Amino acid sequence: VMRWIYVFSLSSVLFYVCLQRFWTGSGINRNKGMVENLQRYGVISSKKVAEVMETIDRALFVPAGTPAYVDSPMQIGYNATISAPHMHAACLQLLEENLQPGMHVLDVGSGTGYLTACFAIMVGPEGRAVGVEHIPELVTGAIKNVKKSAAAPLLKDGSLSLHVGDGRLGWPEFAPYDAIHVGAAASEIPQPLIDQLKPGGRMVIPVGNIFQDLKVVEKKLDGSFTVRSETSVRYVPLTSKEAQLRGF
Ligand code: SAH
C-alpha cells in the first residue's frame, strides 16, 4: 500500500510540474499572440511598443481567473478596471517620444501596475517611472505583480516606484515629468499635473464625464501648453477614494 501511495504522489507531483510548465509556457506565447494581433489590426505600429508589451506579460497583472489576453477592460476590484490592451498600446505610442531612456514618467491611477511596468522598461534604470494610486490594496497588489514581471529589477533599484496617494496632486518628488499618463477620467485637467509636466513634455489624459475624450497635452518650451483630442474613450472617473468605494 505504501508503495502505491508513493507512486501515486510521485506521479501527481510530476503531472503538476508538467501542467505548470505548460501553462506558463503557453502564457508567454499567448501574450506574444496578443501583441501580434494588435500589430495585425494596426493598433501597434511602433516596434519599441511591441517589444515592451511582449516583455511585460499581462497575465501577471490581472486577477486569477481573468482572461488576460482578451482585448477588453477587466474588473480588478474596488470599482476599478485594467484598461484594454489596445488602450495601453495607444497610450504607450502617444507617449513613446517622451519615454526615452533616462526620462521621468508619472502614471496616475496606476491600478494593477501594468502600464507603470511598461513605462519603467522604456525609460530604463537611468530613468524614473512613478505610479500613484489612491487604493492602498491596489498598490500592494501592483507591487506583487511587478515583482513577478520583467520590471522587477527596476522596482528593486528604485527607478520604478508605486505610491499611495491622490493622483490629482501628481507626485512632486520626482517632477518635472517628460511624460504623464492618467488612467482615469477627469472632469477637467488637474492644475498640479500641468505644473509637474516638463517643458517639452506630454500628458495623455481622458477628460469628460459620460462622454470622454482622450486629450494630449503638450507643454512648450516657453511654458504655455496646447490640448488636442485624440479619440473618444470610456474610463472610470478620477475622483476621491470615498466616491469610488461608494460606487461613484
Ligand atoms: N491604468 C491602470 C488602472 C486603470 S483604472 C491599469 O490599467 O491597470 C483607474 C485607476 O485610477 C483605478 O485603479 C482607480 O483606483 C485610480 N484612481 C481613480 N481616482 C484616483 C485618484 N484621485 N488618485 C489616484 N488614483 C485614482
Side-chain angles (χ1 to χ4, degrees):
V1 173
M2 283 308 283
R3 221 178 103 194
W4 278 113
I5 291 176
Y6 175 73
V7 169
F8 177 74
S9 50
L10 189 70
S11 54
S12 50
V13 165
L14 283 176
F15 176 72
Y16 178 74
V17 169
C18 291
L19 196 71
Q20 213 183 22
R21 282 271 164 85
F22 171 77
W23 277 111
T24 46
S26 72
I28 287 160
N29 290 337
R30 280 155 68 209
N31 188 66
K32 193 166 162 48
M34 175 195 82
V35 175
E36 282 167 359
N37 267 332
L38 292 170
Q39 287 176 299
R40 194 167 308 131
Y41 290 105
V43 178
I44 301 180
S45 53
S46 151
K47 197 162 162 276
K48 182 99 199 146
V49 167
E51 272 171 21
V52 168
M53 289 183 70
E54 276 177 25
T55 306
I56 299 295
D57 185 358
R58 200 176 161 83
L60 303 173
F61 291 82
V62 301
T66 303
Y69 309 114
V70 173
D71 194 15
S72 162
M74 301 284 169
Q75 303 295 328
I76 57 170
Y78 311 94
N79 293 321
T81 56
I82 179 169
S83 302
H86 75 267
M87 267 330 295
H88 283 150
C91 290
L92 282 164
Q93 286 198 163
L94 282 169
L95 291 170
E96 185 175 3
E97 278 169 43
N98 294 62
L99 294 171
Q100 288 172 43
M103 289 186 164
H104 284 205
V105 50
L106 175 66
D107 186 19
V108 173
S110 46
T112 61
Y114 172 81
L115 211 48
T116 324
C118 292
F119 290 150
I121 298 280
M122 291 187 82
V123 298
E126 308 300 317
R128 270 220 161 260
V130 181
V132 188
E133 163 61 54
H134 66 173
I135 308 287
E137 290 87 346
L138 287 179
V139 175
T140 307
I143 292 171
K144 276 196 195 134
N145 301 339
V146 170
K147 281 185 177 161
K148 290 182 272 175
S149 80
L154 300 166
L155 181 69
K156 198 152 180 265
D157 76 19
S159 58
L160 188 176
S161 56
L162 294 156
H163 310 267
V164 179
D166 186 342
R168 293 172 291 190
L169 305 174
W171 196 262
E173 188 182 355
F174 303 114
Y177 296 98
D178 300 276
I180 299 181
H181 168 265
V182 184
S187 40
E188 50 198 280
I189 305 171
Q191 188 60 42
L193 298 184
I194 296 173
D195 295 342
Q196 289 171 34
L197 195 60
K198 193 187 264 183
R202 186 179 251 216
M203 166 159 56
V204 171
I205 176 170
V207 179
N209 297 307
I210 299 171
F211 299 102
Q212 303 165 3
D213 278 325
L214 190 66
K215 304 270 189 193
V216 178
V217 182
E218 271 166 327
K219 202 182 233 187
K220 297 200 200 119
L221 295 176
D222 66 8
S224 66
F225 64 92
T226 59
V227 184
R228 68 175 170 84
S229 291
E230 176 69 21
T231 178
S232 300
V233 287
R234 193 88 181 89
Y235 278 77
V236 300
L238 184 72
T239 182
S240 70
K241 188 176 143 187
E242 293 70 31
Q244 184 174 326
L245 294 177
R246 205 188 303 129
F248 311 111

